[in-house]
Amino acid sequence: MSAVRCLRLVSRLYPRGLRDELLEDMLGVFERERRRIRAARGRLAAHAFSLRTIVSAIGQGLGSRLGDSGRRLGGVGGGDGRGGAGHHVRHALSALRAAPGHVVVTVLTLGLGVGISAALYTLVDQVMLEPLPHPGGERLVRVWRTLPQFDWRRAPVSLPTFEDWVDQAGSFDVLGAYSPAIPVTWLGGDYPERISAGYLTDSLLPMLGIRPSLGAVPAAGQGEGASPPALVTESFWRSRLGADPDVVGRTLEIEGLQPIVTGVLPSEVGLLPAGVDVWMPAAAASQAAERDASFLQAVARLRAGASVAEAQAEMEAIAQRVAEAHPDAANGSGVWIEPQRAFLLRDVGTLLRLLGACALLVLAIVCASLTGLTLTRVYGRSQELAVRAALGATAGRVGRQLLVESLLVGIVGAAVGALVAHGLLDVLLAYGPRDLPRRTELAFDGGTLAFVVLVGLGSSLLIGLLPAVRAVHVARSGAALRGGHAGAAERGGPGGHRALRLLAAGQVGLSTVLLIVAALLTHSFLRLAAVDPGFATDDRLSAQVALPNERYPDSESARAFFARLLERAVQLPGVRAAGAAWALPFRPTYGSGTYTVEGQPAPEGTELLIGLVPVAGDYFRAMGVPIRRGRAFTDRDIDGAVPVAIVNETMARRHWPQADPLGRQFRRGETAYTIVGVVPDVKRESLAEESLAEAYLPFAQVAWANDLYVVLHTEGDPAALAGPLRAVLHEMDPGLPATAISPLSELVAETLTGPRFRVLLIGGFAAFAAFLALLGVYGVVRLAVASRTAEIGLRIALGAGRGRTQREVVSSGLRVALAGVAVGVPTAWAASGTIETLVFGIAPTDPKTYAVVVAALVAVVALASWLPARWASRIDPVIALRR
Amino acid sequence: MQTLTYRVLVALGRGTSDGNELLTRLREQEGGEEPSLPTLYRTLREAVGRAWIRVEVDEDVSGRGRPPRVYELTPEGWRALRAQADRLRDLAALALEVAPASDSEHGR
């Protein structure tokens, strides 16, 4: 929500008679002034201006209303005869000054609640709800090839097929495409370096409304040749090109190409993938002309009025025609149109919805808690309120007075909430998942501010409402004046205590839901972290070494290089074993293909898919992957010998569940591979994944892999071997970079970042909510004990044991807690389906987790109730009965 | 007359103005704080109610949305401004009579 909309909403507080053309003009002036301040002094100053204006408008609006009411009531105040908003405010300030502790607790609690909710609202709003930042953003769709035989719905497309789509499709205004980041070697620095190149079609940037911050988008149709135009990203421009202002026209030295820079693009912009250093035309890619080389992801903007269903129908027909025209390259002829927003939210939609629900729960708990607190304070002020009523203040005036107090606290609470929201958003940006969609757009904006102001003030009014009603009741009844010196708390009466118990039970119920969700996520995270990735992570170092085709043109030269490298690496002090593989777990490179096993056809309409991993040297020992059966590769497994493979347990189980897989064969094309060993499954992309059938092939028998990840098993800190490994590489080939150097343990840890963040975030909210709920129960029990002091004293005097007194008090607290739990558990159970995709290894209705949460909550509530119970049991009957 | 009302009348005395221009003039007035927009508009509304200020649509501005309003002193507004200025001048003269000169020390 924009600040202007917020101000418009707030202006509804003005009495109807004041909502005139001047108010409309003020809104226009506000908008223009805000824009001016933002341009001249930055976003923060614009926020400050908005906050000041909105708060002032609330003051004016309420002031006008209260002033009107006051005048209508004839100014019957606490005896002074004045009746405007100013008087209300002055009186409220004086009342609040008398209770600094109450004010501080209320402001901080409200600030935390509002801040947390505002940060989560911003996250949900900006990621899920805000319009996509591209022209016609809501009409943007992804156009995928589908490969149903592999159950693959989001397959990329080749440039020739994409061009066929462009020629034939009528449902779109425009189609564009880009590739993910592809590693290339940059030779323009002091030493060769791996950087990331991306390829895009001419139409993509204009379609997305992306303009270079420097220079210009290359003219269309200039991709071919050795010197294609290129756009460098800002981070590359700064880090590698020294932020050269004359970069346009400069030639980049990239292996095999000499692209000429035409401009500088922002590093992370719109839907383009992050991490790309240089963008070049798709036509410049080496595989651009191959219809089999699917390396582009297509995006399109639907023609105005065209629906996704229409585009889907049209594209299916086009895909069919293209498949028929190129039967050899079809490899599946399906197409799937997916709205861009759905694509963005594919992995985070559930989490964001959960966070949105958490925000509401936290806010509800905060409101309930503060209502209870304020209500308790009203009972404590019974005498004061009754005196004011006796001096002539109307009950309505007393109630309004309470509301103004609440509102004043709400204004300060909202300001604290703005700070909390700002800080929490910074934390989300710094420590949140890096793959959060639209992360770069996430910021504290006018919408956040509007939320803070509206929710902060709305909550404060809500919090003040029930106490105001009770205050009216107290003022009217005058019981406090008649009650002599009896405990002030007593004036709440049975109705007041019931309200407090209900509020406390409500808090326990809501926090039970949050605690159960947090516990399920924690339990799930622990299970995930305990998953065996299938390889050892301690004392392992990995680094990627990519051989340039120019200097290593054939597999012979590559094999010779890696053999020599591994031979030298294993001789480094501190290295126990050295190996290499084309694909490493949790690294992007991975290849798969189809295979057959004689006598075991694939199910109808599908093909068998297998992951292929060429390995070299002592790979299995270096990775800590044990050979379960058979043998590792040897020097005899070379080109020309019998093709061999080591398969994983999933593959062995799938095809030879009861038999020995050793000596069996599977085929890929014309080649039959004989299985010589079986190893455990190794996780590739995520610890939660089901393993694919996988085959390791000896590097010496593979002709298509030039990039390998070297893995060293070290004796101590693996990071210490990074330098020596680089030195060996430099000695062997000074023009060869080693990239992506990191211990294997870090690769695994990175995969846990997202789940850990979820646990910490939701766990933190749950802990905050539970703390407030406990305070609520404590407050109720404490108030009940205070109001029954005389009765408890009498019972003790009559012989009731102190232990029994304690048990009674504790059980009154437990009754409140159990009432809350009785509502919270079924609610959590009913809502459990929504987090099904976020938990791993347990059911979202896992009874053990529920039981642990309930037991822990009851135990802590018992403890919170025990403190007032102890106090009750120590009441001196003589003193109590004198009161 | 409240200080802000007086400042608004002075600012409009320099010429007809829209809301943004008025805000700028108030900001640039010597010794004056910039009021919040709702406070400024409350003051404007009160001045309009007293017929000191006239509101008109700025026909010169075209484009999307409502055209801005321009504010202009009425003859009554000029008279009120003049009367307040005279009052302030008299008050200032009174103060100057009793206050010591700025280079002498108070109390000696």
Side-chain angles (χ1 to χ4, degrees):
Chain A
M1 187 196 284
S2 69
V4 179
R5 280 173 64 189
C6 175
L7 185 59
R8 184 175 287 283
L9 212 58
V10 164
S11 67
R12 295 207 159 264
L13 289 172
Y14 281 67
R16 200 173 288 276
L18 297 186
R19 286 184 234 155
D20 53 10
E21 63 170 343
L22 287 193
L23 186 62
E24 283 300 319
D25 191 50
M26 182 183 84
L27 293 170
V29 170
F30 170 71
E31 194 171 358
R32 290 189 289 275
E33 187 66 7
R34 190 172 192 281
R35 273 203 300 267
R36 185 194 66 76
I37 292 175
R38 187 174 174 145
R41 285 154 53 200
R43 184 189 280 181
L44 207 61
H47 286 329
F49 169 72
S50 303
L51 186 63
R52 183 185 177 213
T53 307
I54 289 167
V55 169
S56 172
I58 290 168
Q60 301 266 335
L62 287 176
S64 307
R65 281 186 182 274
L66 289 169
D68 287 354
S69 314
R71 277 187 288 277
R72 277 201 303 275
L73 286 168
V76 278
D80 61 3
R82 287 172 297 164
H87 173 67
H88 274 300
V89 170
R90 275 193 298 279
H91 200 105
L93 283 174
S94 133
L96 291 173
R97 264 199 299 272
H102 170 80
V103 173
V104 168
V105 169
T106 309
V107 161
L108 289 182
T109 309
L110 185 63
L112 271 173
V114 169
I116 289 171
S117 317
L120 295 185
Y121 159 79
T122 306
L123 187 69
V124 172
D125 179 51
Q126 294 183 8
V127 176
M128 282 183 90
L129 308 175
E130 284 278 311
L132 297 172
H134 303 292
E138 296 312 305
R139 288 186 281 134
L140 284 185
V141 293
R142 295 270 169 170
V143 188
W144 302 107
R145 280 168 65 241
T146 59
L147 302 174
Q149 65 272 41
F150 305 127
D151 197 21
W152 194 9
R153 293 191 80 190
R154 292 192 181 101
V157 61
S158 68
L159 185 59
T161 302
F162 172 77
E163 284 170 346
D164 286 341
W165 290 357
V166 173
D167 290 342
Q168 299 179 40
S171 300
F172 308 116
D173 276 343
V174 57
L175 279 113
Y178 64 89
S179 75
I182 295 170
V184 293
T185 304
W186 182 56
L187 306 168
D190 296 335
Y191 51 87
E193 199 178 345
R194 285 300 255 189
I195 61 169
S196 294
Y199 296 94
L200 41 78
T201 59
D202 298 334
S203 55
L204 187 77
L205 296 181
M207 175 175 83
L208 299 178
I210 297 173
R211 278 190 285 274
S213 47
L214 187 71
V217 172
Q222 293 191 350
E224 289 165 22
S227 298
L231 288 162
V232 293
T233 52
E234 204 162 311
S235 58
F236 181 80
W237 176 60
R238 290 190 188 284
S239 63
R240 312 305 208 297
L241 304 178
D244 178 6
D246 300 319
V247 71
V248 174
R250 191 165 154 180
T251 301
L252 298 176
E253 292 176 56
I254 289 178
E255 186 188 273
L257 285 173
Q258 285 82 44
I260 296 168
V261 177
T262 68
V264 179
L265 272 189
S267 297
E268 289 183 53
V269 58
L271 53 76
L272 293 181
V276 172
D277 297 305
V278 182
W279 286 103
M280 289 179 281
S286 57
Q287 69 275 47
E290 299 168 25
R291 196 169 279 274
D292 282 334
S294 299
F295 69 105
L296 294 172
Q297 296 188 10
V299 190
R301 189 169 60 224
L302 287 172
R303 191 169 37 75
S307 69
V308 171
E310 285 166 9
Q312 176 73 41
E314 185 195 40
M315 284 306 296
E316 278 173 10
I318 292 172
Q320 191 64 40
R321 284 199 293 276
V322 173
E324 284 164 11
H326 306 280
D328 296 341
N331 197 20
S333 57
V335 170
W336 178 38
I337 311 287
E338 180 183 24
Q340 170 65 14
R341 186 180 287 281
F343 171 71
L344 273 181
L345 299 177
R346 67 197 182 284
D347 294 329
V348 295
T350 305
L351 177 63
L352 290 177
R353 278 188 284 275
L354 177 65
L355 288 176
C358 286
L360 285 178
L361 285 179
V362 167
L363 197 61
I365 291 169
V366 163
C367 286
S369 173
L370 292 182
T371 303
L373 195 67
T374 315
L375 205 50
T376 311
R377 184 161 173 265
V378 165
Y379 297 151
R381 292 169 66 190
S382 307
Q383 205 141 15
E384 173 211 329
L385 298 174
V387 166
R388 288 191 61 203
L391 289 175
T394 62
R397 184 177 181 80
V398 169
R400 277 200 298 280
Q401 175 67 51
L402 264 287
L403 278 181
V404 172
E405 281 179 29
S406 195
L407 198 61
L408 288 178
V409 170
I411 289 172
V412 186
V416 172
L419 293 176
V420 171
H422 208 290
L424 199 54
L425 281 172
D426 285 348
V427 170
L428 282 169
L429 277 174
Y431 301 105
R434 313 298 295 175
D435 54 356
L436 182 72
R438 309 181 72 181
R439 199 171 153 275
T440 51
E441 298 168 42
L442 199 61
F444 186 102
D445 68 353
T448 317
L449 189 67
F451 184 94
V452 164
V453 172
L454 284 182
V455 170
L457 299 185
S459 304
S460 66
L461 284 177
L462 200 65
I463 289 163
L465 202 60
L466 184 59
V469 170
R470 296 303 305 175
V472 166
H473 176 74
V474 168
R476 275 193 184 134
S477 70
L481 286 179
R482 293 191 297 274
H485 295 290
E490 206 168 349
R491 279 80 182 226
H497 287 177
R498 200 163 42 243
L500 280 173
R501 279 199 300 276
L502 269 175
L503 283 168
Q507 289 173 63
V508 173
L510 293 174
S511 52
T512 302
V513 177
L514 267 177
L515 281 171
I516 286 175
V517 170
L520 284 168
L521 291 179
T522 307
H523 193 170
S524 158
F525 174 75
L526 294 176
R527 292 235 168 167
L528 191 65
V531 166
D532 178 7
F535 59 92
T537 55
D538 292 338
D539 304 332
R540 260 78 183 181
L541 182 76
S542 70
Q544 189 180 27
V545 179
L547 303 182
N549 290 327
E550 284 72 17
R551 277 175 288 145
Y552 301 89
D554 51 35
S555 46
E556 283 307 318
S557 53
R559 284 173 199 157
F561 176 85
F562 278 111
R564 224 171 44 248
L565 174 64
L566 295 178
E567 200 174 293
R568 292 197 54 180
V570 81
Q571 286 166 4
L572 287 171
V575 174
R576 289 177 174 171
W582 182 66
L584 213 58
F586 310 117
R587 286 289 187 197
T589 319
Y590 193 60
S592 58
T594 56
Y595 73 103
T596 56
V597 174
E598 199 175 312
Q600 298 191 26
E604 182 71 25
T606 66
E607 291 187 61
L608 296 171
L609 202 61
I610 190 170
L612 299 165
V613 187
V615 299
D618 200 357
Y619 172 75
F620 294 106
R621 206 156 73 81
M623 282 291 284
V625 176
I627 306 281
R628 294 265 197 248
R629 310 179 75 164
R631 63 170 175 87
F633 298 129
T634 68
D635 293 343
R636 294 189 300 280
D637 299 320
I638 54 171
D639 207 7
V642 174
V644 292
I646 293 173
V647 297
N648 68 353
E649 288 178 331
T650 294
M651 170 105 170
R653 260 198 316 273
R654 178 188 290 173
H655 295 291
W656 306 280
Q658 307 296 337
D660 188 354
L662 298 183
R664 307 275 181 162
Q665 288 189 328
F666 67 90
R667 297 186 79 86
R668 280 190 30 82
E670 295 302 309
T671 310
Y673 293 88
T674 302
I675 297 168
V676 297
V678 178
V679 292
D681 293 342
V682 167
K683 300 292 181 189
R684 287 288 163 190
E685 291 181 359
S686 128
L687 289 171
E689 73 187 9
E690 291 283 331
S691 287
L692 192 69
E694 208 165 60
Y696 297 88
L697 309 175
F699 186 55
Q701 292 184 342
V702 172
W704 46 267
N706 255 20
D707 295 6
L708 292 190
Y709 286 96
V710 173
V711 182
L712 303 182
H713 179 196
T714 64
E715 278 172 357
D717 177 16
L721 265 297
L725 179 64
R726 272 206 190 94
V728 168
L729 259 181
H730 189 73
E731 230 174 90
M732 288 176 62
D733 183 343
L736 207 56
T739 54
I741 301 183
S742 68
L744 284 188
S745 54
E746 283 182 14
L747 298 187
V748 178
E750 273 172 28
T751 69
L752 294 172
T753 308
R756 182 184 291 115
F757 182 74
R758 282 203 294 262
V759 167
L760 289 177
L761 197 64
I762 294 175
F765 299 156
F768 175 56
F771 176 70
L772 290 182
L774 286 180
L775 278 187
V777 175
Y778 171 81
V780 167
V781 177
R782 182 82 176 76
L783 189 68
V785 169
S787 65
R788 290 173 55 210
T789 305
E791 178 207 330
I792 294 171
L794 180 63
R795 292 176 64 180
I796 291 175
L798 292 174
R802 293 184 188 274
R804 188 177 164 190
T805 307
Q806 281 192 11
R807 276 197 300 281
E808 277 180 13
V809 173
V810 169
S811 66
S812 72
L814 285 178
R815 276 197 297 277
V816 171
L818 289 175
V821 166
V823 175
V825 167
T827 307
W829 192 283
S832 61
T834 56
I835 60 164
E836 197 160 10
T837 55
L838 297 178
V839 293
F840 166 80
I842 54 166
T845 51
D846 180 50
K848 276 187 198 160
T849 308
Y850 279 58
V852 167
V853 168
V854 170
L857 200 57
V858 168
V860 182
V861 165
L863 188 66
S865 309
W866 177 74
L867 294 172
R870 203 167 67 121
W871 181 71
S873 69
R874 290 179 180 178
I875 288 174
D876 185 331
V878 179
I879 295 173
L881 289 171
R882 270 192 202 138
R883 296 179 69 187
Chain B
M1 185 185 289
Q2 289 191 345
T3 310
L4 181 57
T5 312
Y6 175 68
R7 290 177 58 208
V8 167
L9 296 185
V10 169
L12 290 178
R14 296 183 191 285
T16 306
S17 151
D18 64 17
N20 288 87
E21 172 63 21
L22 181 57
L23 202 59
T24 306
R25 287 184 196 170
L26 289 173
R27 193 181 303 128
E28 290 167 356
Q29 264 178 5
E30 198 174 333
E33 282 180 18
E34 182 180 328
S36 75
L37 273 182
T39 305
L40 171 62
Y41 272 79
R42 188 194 61 200
T43 306
L44 281 174
R45 183 176 287 110
E46 284 168 2
V48 169
R50 290 169 188 239
W52 289 347
I53 291 174
R54 183 168 42 235
V55 190
E56 284 180 8
V57 177
D58 190 350
E59 300 291 357
D60 294 340
V61 178
S62 60
R64 290 191 312 165
R66 294 169 62 93
R69 290 336 191 218
V70 289
Y71 303 91
E72 188 182 6
L73 279 189
T74 61
E76 288 83 356
W78 279 111
R79 272 195 290 279
L81 176 60
R82 184 71 221 181
Q84 179 70 0
D86 288 344
R87 219 173 0 256
L88 288 175
R89 187 196 54 210
D90 293 346
L91 283 171
L94 205 60
L96 287 171
E97 275 177 25
V98 297
S102 57
D103 53 354
S104 68
E105 288 184 36
H106 179 66
R108 290 195 176 181

